[in-house]
Amino acid sequence: MQTSPKPGGAGAAPAVRPKGSSPGVAWVTANEANRVRVLQLLYDVGPLSRADLAKLTGVTRTTIGSIVQPMIDNGVLVEGAPRSSGAVGGKPARPLWFSRDGQPIGAVHLMPGRVQAAAVSPVGEVLATSGGVFRAEAANGSAAVDLVVDCLRRVLPPGGRRPLGVGVAIGGMVDTDSGTIVEASLAPALSGLPLAPLVSRRLGLPVHIDHHPRAQALGDRWFGQARGVRSFASLYLADVLGVGLVLDGVVQRGRSGAGGEIGHSVVALDGDVCNCGRRGCWETVATGRWLRREAARRGLPGADGMTPSRLTALVGEGRPAAGELLDRYARNIAVGIVNLQHTLAPGLFLLHGDVVAGGEALREAIERHVTAGVLPHPGGPPDIRFARDDDHATLLGAAGIVLSQSLGLVR
Ligand SMILES: [Zn+2]
């Protein structure tokens, strides 16, 4: 796991190089640490003036000026319209923010059999999207590589501005050091595929990969519903389950990108056999597959295509069996959330995936079971929120991976 510098004076690096001294290694390191802190604050908080940045980092205005000016000169940052400096008078503050016209970023979400891609601006705007399907059961992963390259060429046409790089969010276990997909249980052909080096060679761009829910969490944190929230869990709940955890401002990542496999945490010692071959994983009781199977067992209409959305519609029609299933589904989802809260207490759980279409009835039922399941604490019960429908968190997070790599940020 990584650590990050905290905003505020306590952790600030020495401010200014002493007069007459040479820019030695220690000063360069301190200046670099302050530069990273400034960029991190802009993504975490939004546009800030030099004065705001000085206050939040605990270094002088002069140092802030020496950090931001080169980035303004090379077009990474731009100065916004002057803001009133209020009753105190003085020079109006001009907020600094990333340039919309900066180099675009390629963002990809690779799922079993399906690819979504986008061009994203440095301020987190989706500029263009593309997508397609491939045969997940094909003998090797070449169909997936071809489709990723094709989708990226459609959103980042050759001849346009050179992209900063490509970030790929993978629905499977990843080795972030080598850029390899370790295992994708729903698309075995992708297991062992060195996706990042293969795509990088074809496009001539740096390519970084990460675990899908972790990219989603970065998208929530920098461009989405959790901007400015220091600790939260970004859950993905659909036919697979995963989590990206942000604790004290840092997206948690084990060695070489391990972790986040919350779907395979055991919730029933003698439970059903999971896709992964183990028994009683959370995925055996809280995915869409479980929902379809249980709907069939309870004789609900349309069980084969049952979704959280259809289930709440059936509840609305007054079917008692649907109401019971909704409550059981919510309880089974709550079990994993309760375990996470007891262990790391992220406090806020932002839920993405098919579950969101279940609407307020499902959200409220999950929250009720979570509140009943966690041990009481003065910090209060966790907050359960659903992601918005127009959710681009994963693609924006994939772009965020590239930004953090190229700007040297902690993510
Ligand atoms: Zn499992």
Side-chain angles (χ1 to χ4, degrees), residues 263-265 273-284:
H264 301 288
S265 58
V273 175
C274 178
N275 270 327
C276 71
R278 292 157 191 84
R279 199 173 271 282
C281 299
W282 191 27
E283 284 198 4
T284 62

Side-chain angles (χ1 to χ4, degrees), residues 304-346:
D304 287 354
M306 188 58 67
T307 60
S309 160
R310 284 188 198 177
L311 183 60
T312 47
L314 289 176
V315 175
E317 289 170 16
R319 288 175 183 269
E324 284 164 26
L325 179 56
L326 182 94
D327 191 66
R328 181 57 61 102
Y329 183 46
R331 189 201 67 169
N332 290 4
I333 288 172
V335 166
I337 295 176
V338 166
N339 288 343
L340 267 174
Q341 180 66 12
H342 281 156
T343 313
L344 294 157

